[in-house]
Amino acid sequence: MADSAQAQKLVYLVTGGCGFLGEHVVRMLLQREPRLGELRVFDLHLGPWLEELKTGPVRVTAIQGDVTQAHEVAAAVAGAHVVIHTAGLVDVFGRASPKTIHEVNVQGTRNVIEACVQTGTRFLVYTSSMEVVGPNTKGHPFYRGNEDTPYEAVHRHPYPCSKALAEWLVLEANGRKVCGGLPLVTCALRPTGIYGEGHQIMRDFYRQGLRLGGRLFRAIPASVEHGRVYVGNVAWMHVLAARELERRAARMGGQVYFCYDGSPYKSYEDFNMEFLGPCGLRLVGTRPLVPYWLLVFLAALNVLLQWLLRPLLLYAPLLNPYTLAMANTTFTVSTDKAQRHFGYEPLFSWEDSRTRTILWVQATGGSAQ
Ligand SMILES: NC(=O)C1=CN([C@@H]2O[C@H](COP(=O)(O)OP(=O)(O)OC[C@H]3O[C@@H](n4cnc5c(N)ncnc54)[C@H](O)[C@@H]3O)[C@@H](O)[C@H]2O)C=CC1
Ligand SMILES: CC(C)CCC[C@@H](C)[C@H]1CC[C@H]2[C@@H]3[C@H](O)CC4=CC(=O)CC[C@]4(C)[C@H]3CC[C@]12C
């Protein structure tokens, strides 16, 4: 990848390339990576939209596969110069078992690392999460923190536990010799709550608001800040990190970076209203309408109902003790590490990000898409 960089065309692999973030990474690579020769999109479920990309100048190869299957991962990685590993099981609602979450997020990541080592792929960017840091089980606030801010990262929930372990595996693999003798260079990007086109939870809130006659009811105090970042900027950060990993290996290798942009610091609900407001919804109440103890009770009740109903159906509402704690604990990031280490600047302003998201909610929010 080094000296003949101008001439050489590169092979990229994006795992989870058909997910919410993955699709944006795929499209961003096609738009913004001039050295791209082949783009491999690996996912358990391939999206029909991939077909339209196959007519462009870059070869797009769709690979239906499972990251938990080492041989499938190795076959997809073989011959790739760079891997962007975004595939993951994002579940904080109790839909999947802890074992499945561990298999996909931890064993899947282990398989990606081993495939890089075996096949000689040297550059690996991993999509980690803010949840690797917090909020922790004690509900300590993380206020405008950066990658060096001391924080007691204590988790019990399977999702953050799996992301923390996977991130550790990726960082630990930095410097390992890959086939051919050169060192593997890895880094991990930690998005806060991602929003933008394709964000299912945003659409769920929109639909719920429509069902409630155009209203949502405030549950969390406006003073609790929750970090959010636009999906286009998260994708751009991945593309840039992947591009710069070789040139700046000594600086970036083994590092973690929070994903950030100019999105405002707000509570989870107030932030959502930036998009849902212009789509006709109203957030009722300047203070929470339901006392916190009642939310705690309802969240616990949901856990019980989930357990009781499990033999009959999957009951997995948004509210549970974990999501309540997430929404109710301040966790915001203020950093410039990615700018200092690899020249990251957000590609989309807050105004652009907001407009794009509103247009998407308006276009698809009410439909079955
Ligand atoms: N959505 C968010 O707010 C945040 C997400 N992240 C991380 O970003 C990454 C992408 O998340 P999203 O796009 O939101 O989720 P998503 O669920 O939309 O995308 C994940 C993709 O991975 C694929 N996948 C799942 N299991 C797989 C397997 N066994 N083999 C192959 N592919 C598999 C899914 O089919 C899906 O296309 C995940 O690693 C997640 O942990 C990190 C921070 C915030
Ligand atoms: C009124 C209710 C209490 C509001 C519930 C909101 C929750 C569903 C969401 C609040 C915070 C979200 C999480 C957060 O943005 C961080 C995340 C990082 C990830 O890596 C994956 C997604 C998520 C866990 C995200 C999920 C939804 C919330 C819990």
Side-chain angles (χ1 to χ4, degrees):
M1 189 160 145
D3 296 324
S4 57
Q6 305 301 43
Q8 193 187 1
K9 287 290 183 188
L10 302 179
V11 179
Y12 273 66
L13 169 70
V14 181
T15 71
C18 293
F20 165 43
L21 172 61
E23 177 175 348
H24 284 267
V25 172
V26 163
R27 292 186 187 277
M28 187 65 72
L29 277 168
L30 290 169
Q31 283 165 20
R32 299 257 169 188
E33 183 42 70
R35 296 186 302 167
L36 192 63
E38 181 188 346
L39 178 52
R40 297 179 188 165
V41 183
F42 181 98
D43 204 298
L44 202 51
H45 308 288
L46 296 176
W49 53 271
L50 277 175
E51 289 307 312
E52 93 209 23
L53 304 183
K54 290 185 180 165
T55 54
V58 172
R59 180 169 165 205
V60 176
T61 313
I63 307 169
Q64 195 274 323
D66 185 340
V67 288
T68 67
Q69 301 304 310
H71 63 284
E72 294 183 11
V73 178
V77 170
H81 297 95
V82 183
V83 176
I84 300 180
H85 177 40
T86 79
L89 194 43
V90 184
D91 181 20
V92 291
F93 307 109
R95 291 179 188 137
S97 71
K99 184 169 175 275
T100 308
I101 293 175
H102 183 90
E103 269 168 17
V104 175
N105 293 352
V106 182
Q107 188 56 41
T109 302
R110 205 176 267 131
N111 290 342
V112 170
I113 295 167
E114 291 310 318
C116 288
V117 171
Q118 281 163 24
T119 67
T121 298
R122 286 198 55 213
F123 303 102
L124 170 61
V125 176
Y126 173 61
T127 314
S128 181
S129 169
M130 70 183 246
E131 294 227 12
V132 162
V133 181
N136 62 19
T137 47
K138 298 178 180 176
H140 293 157
F142 186 86
Y143 182 74
R144 319 268 163 106
N146 64 30
E147 291 82 353
D148 299 319
T149 304
Y151 188 79
E152 204 183 328
V154 190
H155 308 292
R156 264 196 301 264
H157 194 280
Y159 175 73
C161 289
S162 70
K163 294 300 285 185
L165 194 46
E167 183 190 271
W168 181 83
L169 290 172
V170 168
L171 302 180
E172 228 230 353
N174 181 63
R176 266 181 81 179
K177 295 276 182 293
V178 304
C179 175
L182 291 169
L184 179 64
V185 188
T186 67
C187 73
L189 307 187
R190 294 173 173 169
T192 53
I194 307 174
Y195 70 93
E197 304 95 301
H199 187 210
Q200 301 301 327
I201 299 176
M202 181 84 75
R203 194 157 53 192
D204 292 348
F205 274 108
Y206 181 57
R207 288 179 180 168
Q208 192 183 344
L210 292 180
R211 279 196 298 274
L212 294 171
R215 291 166 303 172
L216 286 168
F217 299 95
R218 187 184 292 279
I220 304 295
S223 57
V224 177
E225 288 184 356
H226 189 81
R228 304 294 285 271
V229 60
Y230 176 62
V231 67
N233 288 323
V234 180
W236 172 231
M237 205 165 152
H238 280 70
V239 170
L240 205 58
R243 183 190 297 167
E244 296 298 319
L245 258 188
E246 180 181 33
R247 209 157 56 93
R248 308 187 198 223
R251 186 136 210 227
M252 293 175 67
Q255 294 289 323
V256 295
Y257 302 94
F258 277 121
C259 295
Y260 55 91
D261 63 11
S263 304
Y265 299 112
K266 285 184 176 241
S267 75
Y268 191 80
E269 290 168 312
D270 285 299
F271 191 84
N272 283 355
M273 289 314 292
E274 289 284 346
F275 320 102
L276 303 182
C279 294
L281 297 197
R282 197 160 60 85
L283 183 62
V284 180
T286 49
R287 289 204 241 139
L289 294 180
V290 182
Y292 188 65
W293 65 263
L294 186 53
L295 281 178
V296 172
F297 174 76
L298 291 172
L301 187 65
N302 278 340
V303 174
L304 182 66
L305 285 174
Q306 181 170 75
W307 183 74
L308 289 174
L309 294 172
R310 184 139 286 183
L312 303 172
L313 54 94
L314 180 64
Y315 176 68
L318 286 186
L319 181 65
N320 64 45
Y322 184 75
T323 57
L324 180 59
M326 289 288 304
N328 200 45
T329 306
T330 287
F331 195 102
T332 47
V333 162
S334 174
T335 176
D336 62 355
K337 184 173 175 183
Q339 193 273 325
R340 285 185 285 109
H341 280 210
F342 57 95
Y344 163 77
E345 296 286 353
L347 196 58
F348 301 93
S349 66
W350 160 238
E351 289 70 28
D352 276 353
S353 311
R354 185 170 177 270
T355 306
R356 284 167 176 263
T357 308
I358 292 169
L359 290 174
W360 172 77
V361 176
Q362 285 171 341
T364 65
S367 77
Q369 253 188 308

